[in-house]
PDB file of all heavy atoms in Angstrom:
ATOM      1  N   ILE A  31      -2.174   6.927  -1.257  1.00 93.00           N
ATOM      2  CA  ILE A  31      -1.100   7.204  -0.315  1.00 93.00           C
ATOM      3  C   ILE A  31       0.025   7.763  -1.161  1.00 93.00           C
ATOM      4  O   ILE A  31       0.669   7.029  -1.904  1.00 93.00           O
ATOM      5  CB  ILE A  31      -0.642   5.931   0.429  1.00 93.00           C
ATOM      6  CG1 ILE A  31      -1.801   5.353   1.234  1.00 93.00           C
ATOM      7  CG2 ILE A  31       0.554   6.239   1.308  1.00 93.00           C
ATOM      8  CD1 ILE A  31      -1.474   4.050   1.923  1.00 93.00           C
ATOM      9  N   SER A  44      11.207   2.717 -11.092  1.00 98.00           N
ATOM     10  CA  SER A  44      10.604   2.517 -12.412  1.00 98.00           C
ATOM     11  C   SER A  44      11.284   1.375 -13.167  1.00 98.00           C
ATOM     12  O   SER A  44      10.621   0.557 -13.807  1.00 98.00           O
ATOM     13  CB  SER A  44      10.694   3.797 -13.245  1.00 98.00           C
ATOM     14  OG  SER A  44       9.933   4.818 -12.663  1.00 98.00           O
ATOM     15  N   ALA A  48       9.436  -2.202 -14.186  1.00 98.00           N
ATOM     16  CA  ALA A  48       9.396  -2.645 -15.583  1.00 98.00           C
ATOM     17  C   ALA A  48      10.067  -4.011 -15.738  1.00 98.00           C
ATOM     18  O   ALA A  48       9.547  -4.899 -16.424  1.00 98.00           O
ATOM     19  CB  ALA A  48      10.065  -1.611 -16.476  1.00 98.00           C
ATOM     20  N   GLY A  51       7.940  -6.821 -14.798  1.00 98.00           N
ATOM     21  CA  GLY A  51       6.742  -6.996 -15.607  1.00 98.00           C
ATOM     22  C   GLY A  51       5.547  -6.145 -15.226  1.00 98.00           C
ATOM     23  O   GLY A  51       4.436  -6.392 -15.693  1.00 98.00           O
ATOM     24  N   TYR A  54       2.518  -0.512 -14.433  1.00 95.00           N
ATOM     25  CA  TYR A  54       2.412   0.718 -13.642  1.00 95.00           C
ATOM     26  C   TYR A  54       3.289   0.620 -12.401  1.00 95.00           C
ATOM     27  O   TYR A  54       3.254  -0.391 -11.688  1.00 95.00           O
ATOM     28  CB  TYR A  54       0.962   0.962 -13.216  1.00 95.00           C
ATOM     29  CG  TYR A  54       0.003   1.028 -14.382  1.00 95.00           C
ATOM     30  CD1 TYR A  54      -0.798  -0.056 -14.709  1.00 95.00           C
ATOM     31  CD2 TYR A  54      -0.074   2.170 -15.166  1.00 95.00           C
ATOM     32  CE1 TYR A  54      -1.668   0.000 -15.792  1.00 95.00           C
ATOM     33  CE2 TYR A  54      -0.935   2.238 -16.241  1.00 95.00           C
ATOM     34  CZ  TYR A  54      -1.735   1.151 -16.555  1.00 95.00           C
ATOM     35  OH  TYR A  54      -2.583   1.211 -17.626  1.00 95.00           O
ATOM     36  N   SER A  61       2.530  -3.874  -4.419  1.00 97.00           N
ATOM     37  CA  SER A  61       2.920  -5.252  -4.135  1.00 97.00           C
ATOM     38  C   SER A  61       4.027  -5.315  -3.086  1.00 97.00           C
ATOM     39  O   SER A  61       4.033  -6.212  -2.241  1.00 97.00           O
ATOM     40  CB  SER A  61       3.357  -5.976  -5.412  1.00 97.00           C
ATOM     41  OG  SER A  61       4.607  -5.523  -5.861  1.00 97.00           O
ATOM     42  N   ALA A  64       2.319  -4.610   0.222  1.00 96.00           N
ATOM     43  CA  ALA A  64       1.522  -5.772   0.635  1.00 96.00           C
ATOM     44  C   ALA A  64       2.420  -6.875   1.194  1.00 96.00           C
ATOM     45  O   ALA A  64       2.088  -7.502   2.206  1.00 96.00           O
ATOM     46  CB  ALA A  64       0.710  -6.290  -0.546  1.00 96.00           C
ATOM     47  N   GLN A  79      -0.662   0.130  25.145  1.00 64.00           N
ATOM     48  CA  GLN A  79       0.156   0.210  26.351  1.00 64.00           C
ATOM     49  C   GLN A  79      -0.730   0.024  27.582  1.00 64.00           C
ATOM     50  O   GLN A  79      -1.872   0.470  27.623  1.00 64.00           O
ATOM     51  CB  GLN A  79       0.838   1.585  26.389  1.00 64.00           C
ATOM     52  CG  GLN A  79       1.968   1.662  27.358  1.00 64.00           C
ATOM     53  CD  GLN A  79       2.737   2.960  27.176  1.00 64.00           C
ATOM     54  OE1 GLN A  79       2.250   3.907  26.594  1.00 64.00           O
ATOM     55  NE2 GLN A  79       3.940   3.007  27.684  1.00 64.00           N
ATOM     56  N   ILE A  84      -2.438   5.043  38.358  1.00 73.00           N
ATOM     57  CA  ILE A  84      -2.458   6.351  39.033  1.00 73.00           C
ATOM     58  C   ILE A  84      -3.494   6.367  40.163  1.00 73.00           C
ATOM     59  O   ILE A  84      -3.249   6.910  41.229  1.00 73.00           O
ATOM     60  CB  ILE A  84      -2.736   7.482  38.015  1.00 73.00           C
ATOM     61  CG1 ILE A  84      -1.564   7.556  37.028  1.00 73.00           C
ATOM     62  CG2 ILE A  84      -2.960   8.816  38.719  1.00 73.00           C
ATOM     63  CD1 ILE A  84      -1.755   8.534  35.913  1.00 73.00           C
ATOM     64  N   ARG A  86      -4.387   4.039  42.130  1.00 65.00           N
ATOM     65  CA  ARG A  86      -3.877   3.330  43.321  1.00 65.00           C
ATOM     66  C   ARG A  86      -2.823   4.156  44.062  1.00 65.00           C
ATOM     67  O   ARG A  86      -2.692   4.041  45.261  1.00 65.00           O
ATOM     68  CB  ARG A  86      -3.267   1.984  42.915  1.00 65.00           C
ATOM     69  CG  ARG A  86      -4.324   0.967  42.531  1.00 65.00           C
ATOM     70  CD  ARG A  86      -3.701  -0.383  42.312  1.00 65.00           C
ATOM     71  NE  ARG A  86      -3.123  -0.394  40.955  1.00 65.00           N
ATOM     72  CZ  ARG A  86      -2.189  -1.222  40.547  1.00 65.00           C
ATOM     73  NH1 ARG A  86      -1.692  -2.124  41.364  1.00 65.00           N
ATOM     74  NH2 ARG A  86      -1.727  -1.186  39.318  1.00 65.00           N
TER      75      ARG A  86
END
Side-chain angles (χ1 to χ4, degrees):
I31 299 176
S44 295
Y54 303 101
S61 73
Q79 195 170 19
I84 295 175
R86 287 187 279 160

